[in-house]
Amino acid sequence: MGIEQIGVVGAGQMGNGIAHVLALAGYEVLLTDISDEALTAARELIDTNLTRQVSREKITEADKAEALARIATTRTLTDLGATDLVIEAATERETVKQAIFEDLLPHLKPETILTSNTSSISITRLASRTDRPERFMGFHFMNPVPVMQLVELIRGIATDQETFDACMAVVEKLGKTAATAEDFPAFIVNRILMPMINEAIYTLYEGVGSVKSIDLAMKLGANHPMGPLALADFIGLDTCLAIMNVLHDGLADTKYRPCPLLTKYVEAGWLGRKSGRGFYDYRQDPPIPTR
Protein backbone atom coordinates (compact mmCIF):
# COMPACT_ATOMS: atom_id res chain seq x y z
CA MET A 1 0.00 0.00 0.00
CA GLY A 2 2.39 2.68 -1.26
CA ILE A 3 1.62 6.24 -0.11
CA GLU A 4 3.01 9.08 -2.19
CA GLN A 5 0.31 11.78 -2.30
CA ILE A 6 -1.50 12.83 0.88
CA GLY A 7 -4.58 15.03 1.19
CA VAL A 8 -4.99 17.23 4.27
CA VAL A 9 -8.45 18.59 5.09
CA GLY A 10 -8.32 21.86 7.02
CA ALA A 11 -5.62 24.53 6.84
CA GLY A 12 -5.84 25.67 10.45
CA GLN A 13 -3.44 25.26 13.34
CA MET A 14 -3.14 21.48 12.96
CA GLY A 15 -3.64 21.15 9.20
CA ASN A 16 -0.87 23.53 8.20
CA GLY A 17 1.55 21.83 10.59
CA ILE A 18 0.67 18.41 9.19
CA ALA A 19 1.14 19.66 5.61
CA HIS A 20 4.51 21.15 6.65
CA VAL A 21 5.97 17.92 8.06
CA LEU A 22 4.56 15.72 5.28
CA ALA A 23 6.06 17.92 2.53
CA LEU A 24 9.40 18.12 4.33
CA ALA A 25 9.46 14.30 4.48
CA GLY A 26 8.99 14.05 0.71
CA TYR A 27 5.25 13.51 0.29
CA GLU A 28 3.20 15.38 -2.30
CA VAL A 29 0.57 17.27 -0.28
CA LEU A 30 -2.82 18.60 -1.36
CA LEU A 31 -4.20 20.95 1.31
CA THR A 32 -7.84 22.00 1.26
CA ASP A 33 -9.97 24.47 3.20
CA ILE A 34 -13.26 26.28 2.63
CA SER A 35 -11.63 29.71 2.32
CA ASP A 36 -8.85 31.15 0.17
CA GLU A 37 -7.80 33.28 3.15
CA ALA A 38 -7.14 30.20 5.28
CA LEU A 39 -5.10 28.56 2.52
CA THR A 40 -3.05 31.71 1.93
CA ALA A 41 -2.42 32.13 5.67
CA ALA A 42 -1.39 28.46 5.91
CA ARG A 43 1.18 28.77 3.12
CA GLU A 44 2.60 31.93 4.72
CA LEU A 45 2.87 30.24 8.11
CA ILE A 46 4.50 27.14 6.65
CA ASP A 47 7.01 29.39 4.87
CA THR A 48 7.73 31.22 8.15
CA ASN A 49 8.16 27.99 10.11
CA LEU A 50 10.43 26.47 7.46
CA THR A 51 12.53 29.66 7.49
CA ARG A 52 12.86 29.28 11.27
CA GLN A 53 14.11 25.71 10.77
CA VAL A 54 16.66 26.98 8.22
CA SER A 55 17.89 29.64 10.67
CA ARG A 56 18.37 26.95 13.32
CA GLU A 57 20.21 24.77 10.78
CA LYS A 58 17.64 21.97 11.10
CA ILE A 59 17.12 22.04 7.31
CA THR A 60 18.73 23.73 4.29
CA GLU A 61 17.34 26.40 1.97
CA ALA A 62 17.03 23.69 -0.69
CA ASP A 63 14.99 21.52 1.72
CA LYS A 64 12.67 24.47 2.32
CA ALA A 65 12.20 25.22 -1.37
CA GLU A 66 11.50 21.57 -2.19
CA ALA A 67 8.98 21.25 0.66
CA LEU A 68 7.06 24.35 -0.42
CA ALA A 69 6.99 23.07 -4.01
CA ARG A 70 5.36 19.83 -2.82
CA ILE A 71 2.37 21.62 -1.26
CA ALA A 72 -0.60 22.38 -3.52
CA THR A 73 -3.84 23.94 -2.28
CA THR A 74 -7.47 23.73 -3.35
CA ARG A 75 -10.86 24.85 -2.11
CA THR A 76 -12.48 21.83 -3.79
CA LEU A 77 -12.65 19.00 -1.28
CA THR A 78 -13.30 16.37 -3.92
CA ASP A 79 -9.89 17.07 -5.52
CA LEU A 80 -8.47 14.96 -2.67
CA GLY A 81 -10.12 11.88 -4.20
CA ALA A 82 -6.97 11.05 -6.15
CA THR A 83 -4.70 10.94 -3.09
CA ASP A 84 -3.43 7.76 -1.41
CA LEU A 85 -4.11 8.89 2.14
CA VAL A 86 -6.45 11.56 3.53
CA ILE A 87 -5.82 13.17 6.92
CA GLU A 88 -8.87 15.10 8.12
CA ALA A 89 -7.85 17.95 10.44
CA ALA A 90 -11.05 19.99 10.59
CA THR A 91 -12.69 21.42 13.71
CA GLU A 92 -13.31 19.01 16.60
CA ARG A 93 -17.02 18.49 15.88
CA GLU A 94 -18.24 15.06 14.87
CA THR A 95 -20.97 16.35 12.54
CA VAL A 96 -18.40 18.40 10.59
CA LYS A 97 -16.06 15.43 10.24
CA GLN A 98 -18.88 13.12 9.12
CA ALA A 99 -19.99 15.63 6.48
CA ILE A 100 -16.44 15.87 5.12
CA PHE A 101 -16.10 12.10 4.76
CA GLU A 102 -19.56 11.78 3.19
CA ASP A 103 -18.65 14.39 0.56
CA LEU A 104 -15.32 12.70 -0.16
CA LEU A 105 -16.46 9.08 -0.41
CA PRO A 106 -17.85 9.05 -3.98
CA HIS A 107 -14.59 10.51 -5.31
CA LEU A 108 -12.01 8.31 -3.55
CA LYS A 109 -9.89 5.59 -5.10
CA PRO A 110 -10.84 2.15 -3.72
CA GLU A 111 -7.49 1.82 -1.99
CA THR A 112 -7.36 5.31 -0.41
CA ILE A 113 -6.92 5.29 3.38
CA LEU A 114 -9.06 7.69 5.41
CA THR A 115 -7.80 9.03 8.73
CA SER A 116 -8.85 11.64 11.26
CA ASN A 117 -6.63 13.86 13.37
CA THR A 118 -9.38 13.94 16.01
CA SER A 119 -8.12 14.27 19.57
CA SER A 120 -11.09 12.53 21.19
CA ILE A 121 -13.92 11.35 18.90
CA SER A 122 -14.61 7.62 18.37
CA ILE A 123 -12.70 6.29 15.36
CA THR A 124 -15.01 3.27 15.16
CA ARG A 125 -18.06 5.53 14.93
CA LEU A 126 -16.51 7.81 12.30
CA ALA A 127 -15.38 4.78 10.28
CA SER A 128 -18.83 3.17 10.41
CA ARG A 129 -20.26 6.07 8.40
CA THR A 130 -17.88 5.37 5.49
CA ASP A 131 -17.62 2.64 2.85
CA ARG A 132 -14.16 1.56 4.11
CA PRO A 133 -14.07 1.04 7.89
CA GLU A 134 -11.18 -1.40 7.45
CA ARG A 135 -9.15 1.39 5.79
CA PHE A 136 -9.94 4.04 8.41
CA MET A 137 -8.02 4.97 11.54
CA GLY A 138 -7.06 7.78 13.90
CA PHE A 139 -3.90 9.74 13.02
CA HIS A 140 -3.52 12.17 15.92
CA PHE A 141 -0.64 14.64 15.71
CA MET A 142 0.38 16.79 18.67
CA ASN A 143 0.50 20.58 18.50
CA PRO A 144 2.73 22.25 17.31
CA VAL A 145 3.17 19.52 14.71
CA PRO A 146 6.67 20.45 13.42
CA VAL A 147 8.03 20.36 17.00
CA MET A 148 6.19 17.55 18.79
CA GLN A 149 7.59 14.07 18.27
CA LEU A 150 4.55 11.94 19.12
CA VAL A 151 1.74 10.69 16.87
CA GLU A 152 -1.09 8.63 18.33
CA LEU A 153 -2.27 5.87 15.99
CA ILE A 154 -5.77 4.69 16.89
CA ARG A 155 -7.36 1.59 15.40
CA GLY A 156 -11.12 1.40 15.01
CA ILE A 157 -12.72 -1.97 15.65
CA ALA A 158 -12.57 -2.73 11.89
CA THR A 159 -9.13 -1.27 11.02
CA ASP A 160 -7.05 -3.90 9.21
CA GLN A 161 -3.35 -4.59 9.69
CA GLU A 162 -2.38 -3.35 6.22
CA THR A 163 -3.86 0.08 6.97
CA PHE A 164 -2.15 0.27 10.34
CA ASP A 165 1.20 -0.71 8.81
CA ALA A 166 0.85 1.89 6.05
CA CYS A 167 0.16 4.66 8.58
CA MET A 168 3.00 3.49 10.81
CA ALA A 169 5.34 3.73 7.81
CA VAL A 170 4.27 7.36 7.29
CA VAL A 171 5.00 8.19 10.95
CA GLU A 172 8.45 6.61 10.65
CA LYS A 173 9.21 8.50 7.43
CA LEU A 174 8.32 11.73 9.24
CA GLY A 175 10.95 10.88 11.85
CA LYS A 176 8.31 10.85 14.58
CA THR A 177 7.35 8.20 17.14
CA ALA A 178 3.99 6.43 17.25
CA ALA A 179 2.03 5.46 20.35
CA THR A 180 -0.71 2.95 19.64
CA ALA A 181 -3.96 3.75 21.44
CA GLU A 182 -7.20 1.84 21.79
CA ASP A 183 -10.38 3.53 20.59
CA PHE A 184 -11.71 4.90 23.87
CA PRO A 185 -12.70 8.54 24.48
CA ALA A 186 -9.73 10.94 24.18
CA PHE A 187 -7.25 8.05 23.63
CA ILE A 188 -4.05 8.36 25.74
CA VAL A 189 -2.66 11.90 25.74
CA ASN A 190 -5.90 13.81 26.17
CA ARG A 191 -7.40 11.20 28.52
CA ILE A 192 -4.64 12.19 30.93
CA LEU A 193 -3.93 15.82 29.95
CA MET A 194 -7.43 17.30 29.74
CA PRO A 195 -8.63 16.24 33.21
CA MET A 196 -5.44 17.83 34.60
CA ILE A 197 -6.23 21.09 32.79
CA ASN A 198 -9.87 20.86 33.89
CA GLU A 199 -8.75 20.36 37.51
CA ALA A 200 -6.49 23.41 37.22
CA ILE A 201 -9.53 25.41 36.08
CA TYR A 202 -11.53 24.07 39.06
CA THR A 203 -8.62 25.16 41.30
CA LEU A 204 -9.02 28.68 39.87
CA TYR A 205 -12.86 28.52 40.01
CA GLU A 206 -12.82 27.54 43.69
CA GLY A 207 -10.35 30.28 44.61
CA VAL A 208 -7.57 27.95 45.68
CA GLY A 209 -5.07 29.92 43.62
CA SER A 210 -4.80 32.68 41.01
CA VAL A 211 -3.95 32.10 37.35
CA LYS A 212 -0.37 33.17 38.06
CA SER A 213 -0.03 30.97 41.16
CA ILE A 214 -1.49 27.86 39.52
CA ASP A 215 0.75 28.06 36.47
CA LEU A 216 3.82 28.94 38.53
CA ALA A 217 3.14 26.05 40.93
CA MET A 218 2.98 23.47 38.13
CA LYS A 219 6.00 24.89 36.27
CA LEU A 220 8.26 25.03 39.31
CA GLY A 221 6.64 22.34 41.46
CA ALA A 222 6.05 19.67 38.81
CA ASN A 223 8.67 20.82 36.27
CA HIS A 224 6.06 21.34 33.53
CA PRO A 225 7.40 23.49 30.67
CA MET A 226 4.12 25.44 30.55
CA GLY A 227 1.46 26.00 33.22
CA PRO A 228 -1.89 24.21 32.66
CA LEU A 229 -3.88 27.42 32.16
CA ALA A 230 -1.37 28.82 29.67
CA LEU A 231 -1.45 25.43 27.94
CA ALA A 232 -5.26 25.50 27.80
CA ASP A 233 -5.05 28.91 26.11
CA PHE A 234 -2.52 27.52 23.62
CA ILE A 235 -4.71 24.51 22.79
CA GLY A 236 -7.91 26.58 22.63
CA LEU A 237 -10.52 26.59 25.38
CA ASP A 238 -13.23 25.49 22.93
CA THR A 239 -11.14 22.42 22.08
CA CYS A 240 -10.54 21.70 25.78
CA LEU A 241 -14.29 21.92 26.46
CA ALA A 242 -15.13 19.70 23.47
CA ILE A 243 -12.73 17.00 24.69
CA MET A 244 -14.02 17.17 28.27
CA ASN A 245 -17.57 16.77 26.95
CA VAL A 246 -16.51 13.71 24.93
CA LEU A 247 -14.93 12.22 28.07
CA HIS A 248 -17.95 13.05 30.24
CA ASP A 249 -20.49 11.74 27.72
CA GLY A 250 -18.46 8.71 26.63
CA LEU A 251 -17.37 7.44 30.04
CA ALA A 252 -20.35 8.64 32.13
CA ASP A 253 -18.13 9.50 35.07
CA THR A 254 -18.64 12.74 37.05
CA LYS A 255 -14.88 13.18 37.44
CA TYR A 256 -14.86 14.33 33.81
CA ARG A 257 -17.49 17.06 34.31
CA PRO A 258 -16.23 20.24 32.60
CA CYS A 259 -15.61 23.08 35.02
CA PRO A 260 -18.36 25.73 34.77
CA LEU A 261 -15.68 28.41 34.47
CA LEU A 262 -14.33 26.73 31.32
CA THR A 263 -17.84 26.75 29.86
CA LYS A 264 -18.25 30.43 30.77
CA TYR A 265 -15.02 31.43 29.04
CA VAL A 266 -16.02 29.58 25.87
CA GLU A 267 -19.49 31.18 25.93
CA ALA A 268 -17.79 34.58 26.21
CA GLY A 269 -15.66 33.82 23.14
CA TRP A 270 -12.52 33.94 25.27
CA LEU A 271 -10.91 30.92 23.62
CA GLY A 272 -7.25 31.59 24.40
CA ARG A 273 -4.44 32.76 22.16
CA LYS A 274 -6.41 32.46 18.92
CA SER A 275 -9.09 34.90 20.10
CA GLY A 276 -6.77 37.24 22.03
CA ARG A 277 -8.16 36.39 25.47
CA GLY A 278 -8.51 33.32 27.63
CA PHE A 279 -7.01 32.81 31.05
CA TYR A 280 -4.52 35.42 29.86
CA ASP A 281 -5.10 38.62 27.88
CA TYR A 282 -2.83 38.40 24.82
CA ARG A 283 -3.60 41.94 23.75
CA GLN A 284 -1.01 42.96 26.35
CA ASP A 285 2.71 42.34 26.03
CA PRO A 286 3.54 40.38 28.11
CA PRO A 287 0.09 38.74 28.48
CA ILE A 288 -1.61 39.35 31.82
CA PRO A 289 -4.00 37.02 33.72
CA THR A 290 -7.71 37.72 33.22
CA ARG A 291 -8.55 36.55 36.74
Side-chain angles (χ1 to χ4, degrees):
M1 196 177 285
I3 293 174
E4 296 179 358
Q5 187 176 30
I6 300 177
V8 179
V9 182
Q13 191 174 35
M14 296 302 295
N16 75 67
I18 293 168
H20 171 147
V21 297
L22 291 172
L24 200 55
Y27 291 104
E28 296 296 322
V29 179
L30 185 55
L31 178 64
T32 186
D33 202 284
I34 57 174
S35 79
D36 287 326
E37 292 79 6
L39 292 171
T40 299
R43 285 200 69 94
E44 290 173 354
L45 184 57
I46 292 168
D47 191 314
T48 298
N49 289 337
L50 287 167
T51 299
R52 185 179 295 117
Q53 288 180 297
V54 171
S55 69
R56 293 175 179 172
E57 299 184 347
K58 302 285 187 183
I59 63 172
T60 66
E61 282 286 357
D63 293 331
K64 173 189 167 181
E66 289 168 7
L68 286 172
R70 292 189 191 104
I71 300 172
T73 60
T74 179
R75 281 186 56 199
T76 306
L77 177 66
T78 55
D79 288 349
L80 273 60
T83 61
D84 305 311
L85 167 68
V86 173
I87 302 174
E88 171 273 314
T91 187
E92 191 70 356
R93 295 213 310 271
E94 188 164 350
T95 53
V96 172
K97 295 178 185 298
Q98 286 176 345
I100 288 167
F101 291 128
E102 285 169 9
D103 288 346
L104 264 176
L105 287 176
H107 306 276
L108 294 174
K109 299 185 296 185
E111 64 273 20
T112 298
I113 296 173
L114 288 178
T115 68
S116 177
N117 183 58
T118 179
S119 52
S120 60
I121 297 168
S122 167
I123 297 303
T124 297
R125 194 164 61 241
L126 287 173
S128 72
R129 301 287 294 271
T130 75
D131 64 352
R132 60 194 68 208
E134 70 286 348
R135 288 192 298 283
F136 192 111
M137 66 182 298
F139 209 140
H140 181 214
F141 289 84
M142 305 295 126
N143 185 38
V145 180
V147 175
M148 302 297 281
Q149 290 301 302
L150 185 73
V151 178
E152 282 183 315
L153 291 181
I154 306 102
R155 296 177 189 253
I157 195 169
T159 306
D160 65 24
Q161 188 63 40
E162 189 177 12
T163 296
F164 178 84
D165 291 344
C167 290
M168 177 65 83
V170 172
V171 175
E172 291 172 350
K173 188 171 178 179
L174 295 179
K176 295 188 182 294
T177 301
T180 305
E182 293 299 317
D183 186 23
F184 287 95
F187 319 129
I188 296 172
V189 172
N190 283 315
R191 173 76 176 263
I192 297 168
L193 176 64
M194 285 302 159
M196 184 201 75
I197 288 175
N198 195 51
E199 194 62 27
I201 300 170
Y202 267 115
T203 305
L204 177 65
Y205 178 62
E206 294 169 4
V208 179
S210 65
V211 169
K212 181 178 179 181
S213 293
I214 292 165
D215 277 355
L216 194 64
M218 294 307 293
K219 285 173 68 177
L220 301 184
N223 206 28
H224 289 191
M226 183 183 294
L229 301 176
L231 179 56
D233 277 355
F234 180 76
I235 293 167
L237 303 192
D238 53 340
T239 300
C240 293
L241 180 58
I243 295 170
M244 287 309 301
N245 280 327
V246 166
L247 280 165
H248 192 228
D249 295 344
L251 298 171
D253 192 325
T254 56
K255 72 180 181 180
Y256 298 117
R257 182 172 69 96
C259 180
L261 184 60
L262 173 59
T263 302
K264 182 181 288 188
Y265 269 61
V266 173
E267 288 174 346
W270 292 19
L271 307 181
R273 285 177 180 259
K274 62 186 175 185
S275 67
R277 275 189 294 189
F279 292 110
Y280 292 85
D281 187 339
Y282 298 93
R283 300 170 302 173
Q284 315 290 322
D285 189 18
I288 59 173
T290 53
R291 288 179 77 87

